[in-house]
């Protein structure tokens, strides 16, 4: 941690800051410049609240040098983490596709759509059975029946399953049907849910909260990892900004930023990021080019009548040609689209 003193900090203030730092357990290194004094405080604890120093008289600013997350950081684990689920590997050189409708709407719908995505080469079928909708009047999902249809459809076409968990008491139920728990943007900081998911070993995909900083997102991943679950991947869905022509602002730069700071695989979700189908293919291509380890894409064979997120669902033909383009981009950057 670096503590920068005010230009006019007095000797008494400086001594008091040093004493405080030492009492908090830091080793202190003082560097006196012509204008300002800078104090290097060595030995910061991950949970140290830098405001304890910021409030001291004579302090201009305080910066952390080390990240508050440990297990999620690249310095803790230099190699890319690879999550293995049956014959699918997520992370490393692999690029994985997760696709399917936003929601499981009925048995026939999920079988039809599962067949389309499986034929396009998708390894992981998505579909929500418990939907966290902005309106309480909107379709909330089929619940356990939806999970059953989703699992059966995925099994029929040899795919894995990812589906969203929205509350703690669904861990066993969803764990019985799904290969990956999806934690949605709205639950990124549901710490009680994260703690419980951390106790399982089942892979978790953690979406970034709409207004969460990358550091807060990685701290949420830290909750999962520190519970003992090493099978964690992140998912970029964009962030909330002032822009209205897109659902979220798809901050692709989060992909290289997270790759630099963390070893965890990063999936990108251009469907929820943009909210409109015509924007999905360009952003999907861009995400792969930017280094995403996989994509989550919504696809529906009858989006006009979809019960959720129809306007952002790709039609089958568009989806199939997009997958071909993604394979080509993957090849150019020396990666393998599974
Ligand atoms: C979803 O994947 O259908 C979903 C609700 O995701 P998000 O958390 O990105 O809104
Ligand atoms: Mn959706």
């Amino acid at each position: 941690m670096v503590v920068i003193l005010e230009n006019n900090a007095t000797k008494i203030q400086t001594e008091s800051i040093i004493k405080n730092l030492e009492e908090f357990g830091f080793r202190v290194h003082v560097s006196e410049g012509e204008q300002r004094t800078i104090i290097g405080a060595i030995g910061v604890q991950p949970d140290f609240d830098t405001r304890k120093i910021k409030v001291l008289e004579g302090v201009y600013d305080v910066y952390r040098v080390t990240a508050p997350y440990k297990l999620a950081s690249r310095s803790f684990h230099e190699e890319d983490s690879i999550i293995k689920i049956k014959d699918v590997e997520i992370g490393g050189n692999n690029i994985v596709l997760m696709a399917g409708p936003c929601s499981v709407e009925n048995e026939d719908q999920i079988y039809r759509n599962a067949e389309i995505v499986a034929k396009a080469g998708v390894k992981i079928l998505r579909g929500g059975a418990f939907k966290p909708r902005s309106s309480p009047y909107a379709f909330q999902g089929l619940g356990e029946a939806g999970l059953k249809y989703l699992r059966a459809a995925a099994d029929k076409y040899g795919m894995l399953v990812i589906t969203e968990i929205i509350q703690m008491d669904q861990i066993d139920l969803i764990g019985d049907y799904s290969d990956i728990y999806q934690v949605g943007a709205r639950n990124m900081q549901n710490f009680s849910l994260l703690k419980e998911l951390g106790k399982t070993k089942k892979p978790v995909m953690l979406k970034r909260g709409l207004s969460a900083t990358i550091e807060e997102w990685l701290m949420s991943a830290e909750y999962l990892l520190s519970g003992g679950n090493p099978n964690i991947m992140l998912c970029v869905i964009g962030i909330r900004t002032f822009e209205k022509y897109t659902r979220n602002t798809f901050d692709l730069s989060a992909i290289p930023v997270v790759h630099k700071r963390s070893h965890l695989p990063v999936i990108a979700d251009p469907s929820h990021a943009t909210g409109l189908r015509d924007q999905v293919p360009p952003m999907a291509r861009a995400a792969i080019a930017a280094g995403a380890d996989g994509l989550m894409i919504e696809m529906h064979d009858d989006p006009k009548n979809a019960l959720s997120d129809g306007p952002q669902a790709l039609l089958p033909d568009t989806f199939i040609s997009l997958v071909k383009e993604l394979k080509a981009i993957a090849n150019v950057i020396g990666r393998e689209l599974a």
Side-chain angles (χ1 to χ4, degrees), residues 205-218:
M205 186 176 85
L206 178 67
K207 289 193 170 191
R208 180 177 176 184
L210 284 179
S211 304
T213 63
I214 292 176
E215 187 167 290
E216 287 165 337
W217 186 23
L218 290 172

Side-chain angles (χ1 to χ4, degrees), residues 19 21 46 112 128 155 160 176 179 186 205-206 217 246 262 269 294:
K19 188 161 168 278
L21 285 167
R112 289 194 319 266
D155 286 346
L160 300 176
D176 285 344
D179 299 290
R186 293 161 192 79
M205 186 176 85
L206 178 67
W217 186 23
T246 52
S262 178
D269 175 346

Side-chain angles (χ1 to χ4, degrees), residues 177-210:
Y177 293 100
S178 189
D179 299 290
I180 306 172
Y181 292 110
Q182 172 178 321
V183 175
R186 293 161 192 79
N187 271 312
M188 189 207 83
Q189 284 186 316
N190 181 341
F191 299 121
S192 345
L193 175 63
L194 299 179
K195 277 187 196 166
E196 289 306 310
L197 288 172
K199 290 183 197 160
T200 75
K201 290 282 180 284
K202 198 176 268 286
V204 178
M205 186 176 85
L206 178 67
K207 289 193 170 191
R208 180 177 176 184
L210 284 179

Side-chain angles (χ1 to χ4, degrees), residues 285-300:
R285 296 190 293 256
I288 294 303
D293 300 302
L295 294 176
M296 166 170 269
I297 297 179
E298 288 186 348
M299 203 264 349
H300 201 296

Side-chain angles (χ1 to χ4, degrees), residues 302-323:
D302 183 17
K304 243 197 275 176
N305 293 307
L307 296 181
S308 63
D309 281 346
Q312 70 190 30
L314 292 186
L315 288 155
D317 285 353
T318 323
F319 181 75
I320 291 162
S321 34
L322 174 63
V323 173

Side-chain angles (χ1 to χ4, degrees), residues 1-70:
M1 191 171 74
V2 177
V3 183
I4 300 170
L5 304 199
E6 299 272 13
N7 272 351
N8 56 0
T10 65
K11 197 159 182 267
I12 295 178
Q13 287 174 338
T14 310
E15 281 168 5
S16 161
I17 294 163
I18 293 171
K19 188 161 168 278
N20 268 279
L21 285 167
E22 286 172 346
E23 282 170 4
F24 284 124
F26 292 99
R27 279 179 291 123
V28 169
H29 182 270
V30 182
S31 154
E32 276 180 46
E34 293 198 354
Q35 306 271 332
R36 284 182 194 276
T37 297
I38 292 174
I39 305 176
I42 300 150
V44 67
Q45 296 299 313
D47 64 343
F48 186 76
D49 186 344
T50 53
R51 291 177 306 170
K52 287 179 176 168
I53 305 301
K54 265 187 201 167
V55 292
L56 299 177
E57 294 273 339
V59 172
Y60 176 70
D61 216 340
V62 180
Y63 298 98
R64 267 182 168 278
V65 179
T66 47
Y69 45 87
K70 211 174 209 141

